[in-house]
Every structure is written in structure tokens, then in C-alpha cells.
Amino acid sequence: QQKVQQSPESLIVPEGGMASLNCTSSDRNVDYFWWYRQHSGKSPKMLMSIFSNGEKEEGRFTVHLNKASLHTSLHIRDSQPSDSALYLCAASPNTGKLTFGDGTVLTVKP
Amino acid sequence: GGIITQTPKFLIGQEGQKLTLKCQQNFNHDTMYWYRQDSGKGLRLIYYSITENDLQKGDLSEGYDASREKKSSFSLTVTSAQKNEMAVFLCASSRGRNSDYTFGSGTRLLVI
């Protein structure tokens, strides 16, 4: 049973557009969420993490978290072709061990 | 800055063969992890270790062994490679609980 569900599986947005990615955990013990980005043929790199209810913004990237529903979302504004990648959501309970979702493949069309 | 190095980068094995993948980090991180990633998919945890000589099974540990003889290194053994198996094995390390992971560049495995 997949404990971290991501949607959509794939997403195409035009250059300059907004990309919105979703992630939900089914593990009530989760207290941290992470977003990683993985370009093709490369290793995942951490983008943002969030553990408090609400919103966190870093440049073009905004992450939201609703702890009651264990739902997080990543929003990328002014999307660039270089943002095209696999976006992985991960959740960690107090053990610190990350469980990853299957990811969303984002394609930004010039 | 530190680095996490995986060797080899590519590994071609034969069905039934025992194969070992190695990972070294110089961050002085306590916790190390082995994940498997099938093409275009998410990461599944095979083994992790919170300190030297500690081993904890992940969701995908069957068919694998691991070893953490030193704090800086963590190796993974595929005990009997399965024909047509193709995946990327990613090693990661972290300071510990609620710290982000740093990943190695991966070992790409193909079994013929």
C-alpha cells in the first residue's frame, strides 16, 4: 500500500505558466514533508521542506501544508524549461525515515 | 562541502550472480540509506543504518543484504540477481531525524 500518493502523474505547462503538484500521506505519524527534484539521469536534490501548517515561499516555489489532511502541494510560478523534471514528494514520521511517492513528471513547453 | 560517492556507476551482472554496490560519504553523517528506483518511478527503501554496525530493513529488503562497517561507508549486496532486472540504486546520507538527504549519483544495474 502506497503511503505517499502524488498527483498528477504527469503535467505539461507552458513556459511562464503555473505548475501545481499535489501529495498526500496516509501515515498519521508523519510530521515532515519534503519536495525533491530529479532531472533526467541525475540524483534527487532537495527543493523545500515543510512541517508547519500554512505556506512557505522560496523564490518561484511555494509549498503549502495542511497537517489535518496530511496534504502538501508545490506550486511553481513562471515555470521555465529548466524546471522540467521528476518531482518527488517524501514524508517522514518521527523516525526520520523518508517514504517517497512515485513522483510527478513536469514538462515545461517553450 | 562534502561528497557522497557510489561505485560502480554502471554494473552489468548475470542471472544468479551476487553483486555488491558501494557508497562512501565524507559529511560525517550518522544515517545512511539505500533506495531502489525503477525507471521514472519513486524511490523504495531497501536498507538503512543509523550508525556504524547498525542495519534496519526497509520495505524492499528481500533479496538484498547490507553492511555498515564504518560510519563513512555503506554497502549493498544483491544476493541473487534476477534476469532482466534494471534499476538505479541510490545511496543517501543525512545527519539524522528530520534532516534532508544528500544522494549519490547512483549505480545503474542491468542483469542479463
Side-chain angles (χ1 to χ4, degrees), chain A residues 48-91:
Chain A
M48 293 179 75
S49 63
I50 189 164
F51 62 93
S52 299
N53 262 329
E55 179 182 299
K56 184 175 172 182
E57 183 178 329
E58 291 181 6
R60 296 185 293 112
F61 299 87
T62 303
V63 172
H64 293 268
L65 175 62
N66 180 326
K67 292 195 88 168
S69 59
L70 294 177
H71 176 83
T72 180
S73 56
L74 173 68
H75 305 271
I76 308 172
R77 62 177 171 79
D78 189 25
S79 297
Q80 301 298 308
S82 58
D83 293 326
S84 297
L86 176 67
Y87 287 79
L88 295 162
C89 173

Side-chain angles (χ1 to χ4, degrees), chain A residues 3-78:
Chain A
K3 287 186 177 177
V4 176
Q5 297 276 3
Q6 290 189 244
S7 64
E9 285 187 17
S10 61
L11 180 62
I12 300 173
V13 300
E15 184 173 357
M18 170 77 86
S20 295
L21 292 69
N22 297 292
C23 173
T24 303
S25 172
S26 58
D27 184 351
R28 302 297 316 175
N29 294 315
V30 158
D31 54 12
Y32 257 81
F33 284 88
W34 309 79
W35 285 94
Y36 282 78
R37 180 164 74 179
Q38 185 179 24
H39 285 107
S40 182
K42 303 291 186 184
S43 58
K45 295 282 194 289
M46 202 271 287
L47 265 181
M48 293 179 75
S49 63
I50 189 164
F51 62 93
S52 299
N53 262 329
E55 179 182 299
K56 184 175 172 182
E57 183 178 329
E58 291 181 6
R60 296 185 293 112
F61 299 87
T62 303
V63 172
H64 293 268
L65 175 62
N66 180 326
K67 292 195 88 168
S69 59
L70 294 177
H71 176 83
T72 180
S73 56
L74 173 68
H75 305 271
I76 308 172
R77 62 177 171 79
D78 189 25

Side-chain angles (χ1 to χ4, degrees), chain B residues 35-103:
Chain B
Y35 283 89
R36 175 183 165 128
Q37 185 175 33
D38 293 285
S39 181
K41 295 291 188 184
L43 281 59
R44 290 183 291 169
L45 183 64
I46 305 172
Y47 268 97
Y48 68 105
S49 166
I50 61 174
T51 189
E52 186 178 322
N53 292 320
D54 173 74
L55 286 177
Q56 312 273 345
K57 291 185 178 182
D59 296 329
L60 202 65
S61 62
E62 190 171 333
Y64 301 95
D65 285 327
S67 173
R68 182 102 183 265
E69 292 172 355
K70 290 191 301 184
K71 186 175 181 179
S72 61
S73 66
F74 193 28
S75 59
L76 180 73
T77 298
V78 181
T79 56
S80 178
Q82 302 297 304
K83 190 173 174 69
N84 297 323
E85 184 173 3
M86 191 164 67
V88 176
F89 291 84
L90 289 163
C91 176
S93 69
S94 74
R95 282 195 312 277
R97 186 186 156 192
N98 295 331
S99 299
D100 70 301
Y101 288 14
T102 300
F103 283 90

